[in-house]
Amino acid sequence: MKKQMILLAAAASLCVAGGCRTTTQNIDRVNDQAGAIAGFDYRDINRSICEAVGNMLASGRMQRNDGGRWVVNVMPVKDDTSNMARDTGALSEAIHTSLREELTNSGKCVIFNPSVARFAQTAVVPQFALIGTINSRSLFLDNRDRQIEYNLNLSLVETATGLEVWQKRIFIGKRADRHAIY
Amino acid sequence: MKTVSRRNFLAASAGLGVAAITGCVAPLQNPPLDPRIYVADNLRGQVVVTDVRLAPGNSDHLTFQATLQNITRSVLPVKYRVIWVDKEGVEVETALSTWQLVSIMPKDITTLRAVSPRPDVTNFRCYIQWGRS
């Protein structure tokens, strides 16, 4: 009995000293089996971009009869989330880059780059501006768990007239423990 | 002999009558599945995919739509992903092929939708799995 106790204690101390840690793994971004997290992770970015760009392309607003492409100024996405992890620039940048990537690949538009355009020899005025904001609200449920509501709001504005030709609000909601960091 | 055949005849007609009243209906058959749709084994016998459509709609980007019915008595969390392929059969890498989540209420029907990322896309493959995330 004493020997068993000693063995058990030794095993427990070994576990504490060296073993019981999560091993580092690479994320399989196509088939990620990990559970949801309270923050707005890359899966949420992909899901919201998928919904937004899919809706915009299906709406026919980017359709051009002569087969040409529109010049679109994709404005930086304003991040109004109450981000506890303090990486606000990264979220805005990720959404902005994904939007530009998918719109360029769609074959419907060319992305206007204002930082390079001022050195250009030919002046090109973008026909559309894509404006985006992302915000979050944190609410408490009756059992004091937390409900986090993210909204990505996008609107496509015709620059010549200021008219909005397309809008989309994408909602992504999470329910998590009250202590969850998001 | 004559009595037996009469009894057989009566039994057969009674059987037919019972079948007609209680419903001698062919068992519910799943419609033949579109070969471009792959339902995972963990959802087999729980969902029925019907009415698969692929049409350009308002633009020259194809819109995929399929109807999915939950034939169980419990809520089913389902995820689906549409992979787009061009005319050479090459898969198009895009964020528009992301896993999408839907929960289907018991006996309810939901619509799966996706839009192609490029106009030169001609076909798709749709993967449907049990999934909660």
Side-chain angles (χ1 to χ4, degrees):
Chain A
M1 185 66 184
K2 200 175 179 182
K3 203 180 279 179
Q4 276 178 351
M5 287 289 284
I6 291 167
L7 276 173
L8 203 67
S13 58
L14 266 176
C15 186
V16 169
C20 292
R21 292 185 192 146
T22 305
T23 51
T24 306
Q25 293 176 327
N26 290 321
I27 295 173
D28 175 0
R29 63 194 170 93
V30 177
N31 294 301
D32 193 348
Q33 300 298 314
I37 65 164
F40 203 86
D41 72 346
Y42 79 97
R43 289 171 291 183
D44 301 315
I45 293 172
N46 283 349
R47 267 202 287 274
S48 47
I49 295 296
C50 175
E51 197 178 333
V53 176
N55 187 282
M56 188 194 286
L57 296 176
S59 72
R61 294 281 188 265
M62 302 301 284
Q63 206 65 21
R64 216 170 132 155
N65 293 332
D66 60 359
R69 293 176 170 212
W70 299 108
V71 180
V72 179
N73 185 7
V74 182
M75 315 279 272
V77 175
K78 191 181 172 200
D79 187 351
D80 280 340
T81 55
S82 51
N83 198 320
M84 291 160 80
R86 296 192 185 87
D87 59 347
T88 50
L91 175 60
S92 173
E93 178 88 19
I95 297 173
H96 186 226
T97 310
S98 297
L99 276 172
R100 281 168 35 205
E101 180 186 345
E102 290 305 321
L103 288 176
T104 306
N105 292 343
S106 74
K108 287 283 174 290
C109 47
V110 180
I111 305 301
F112 180 77
N113 189 326
S115 59
V116 177
R118 60 190 167 140
F119 305 114
Q121 291 178 350
T122 310
V124 176
V125 180
Q127 287 108 346
F128 291 102
L130 184 65
I131 302 164
T133 58
I134 181 165
N135 58 50
S136 67
R137 285 199 324 143
S138 176
L139 311 166
F140 282 105
L141 303 174
D142 289 347
N143 64 358
R144 305 296 294 161
D145 277 353
R146 197 188 284 273
Q147 177 167 307
I148 308 151
E149 299 179 353
Y150 294 97
N151 285 295
L152 175 64
N153 303 311
L154 295 168
S155 47
L156 188 69
V157 183
E158 198 177 3
T159 48
T161 59
L163 298 174
E164 286 194 3
V165 294
W166 174 86
Q167 303 93 13
K168 185 76 183 162
R169 171 177 170 256
I170 294 134
F171 168 81
I172 289 186
K174 316 248 179 178
R175 293 205 179 101
D177 184 78
R178 79 196 76 168
H179 303 298
I181 294 175
Y182 63 97
Chain B
M1 184 68 187
K2 198 175 181 183
T3 322
V4 172
S5 68
R6 197 174 183 185
R7 197 178 288 168
N8 279 349
F9 176 74
L10 282 173
S13 49
L16 277 173
V18 166
I21 293 164
T22 57
C24 182
V25 183
L28 181 67
Q29 296 271 316
N30 290 355
L33 191 61
D34 190 305
R36 297 169 295 182
I37 296 196
Y38 302 85
V39 179
D41 286 342
N42 56 16
L43 270 183
R44 286 268 160 82
Q46 301 187 71
V47 292
V48 178
V49 183
T50 57
D51 196 28
V52 179
R53 286 163 197 254
L54 191 65
N58 290 331
S59 68
D60 52 4
H61 288 256
L62 294 171
T63 299
F64 157 81
Q65 181 179 292
T67 308
L68 191 66
Q69 185 179 11
N70 175 3
I71 54 172
T72 69
R73 292 172 190 272
S74 52
V75 180
L76 268 187
V78 169
K79 62 180 183 180
Y80 70 98
R81 177 175 183 238
V82 178
I83 288 172
W84 297 99
V85 288
D86 63 15
K87 60 178 183 284
E88 274 94 32
V90 178
E91 183 184 327
V92 176
E93 194 185 336
T94 169
L96 273 67
S97 291
T98 304
W99 286 104
Q100 300 287 325
L101 304 168
V102 284
S103 287
I104 318 174
M105 300 307 281
K107 306 286 178 191
D108 205 357
I109 296 170
T110 196
T111 306
L112 313 182
R113 274 199 198 90
V115 178
S116 72
R118 293 192 332 218
D120 61 335
V121 160
T122 53
N123 215 340
F124 73 94
R125 292 196 306 272
C126 177
Y127 294 88
I128 304 171
Q129 290 182 4
W130 189 96
R132 188 192 300 278
S133 178

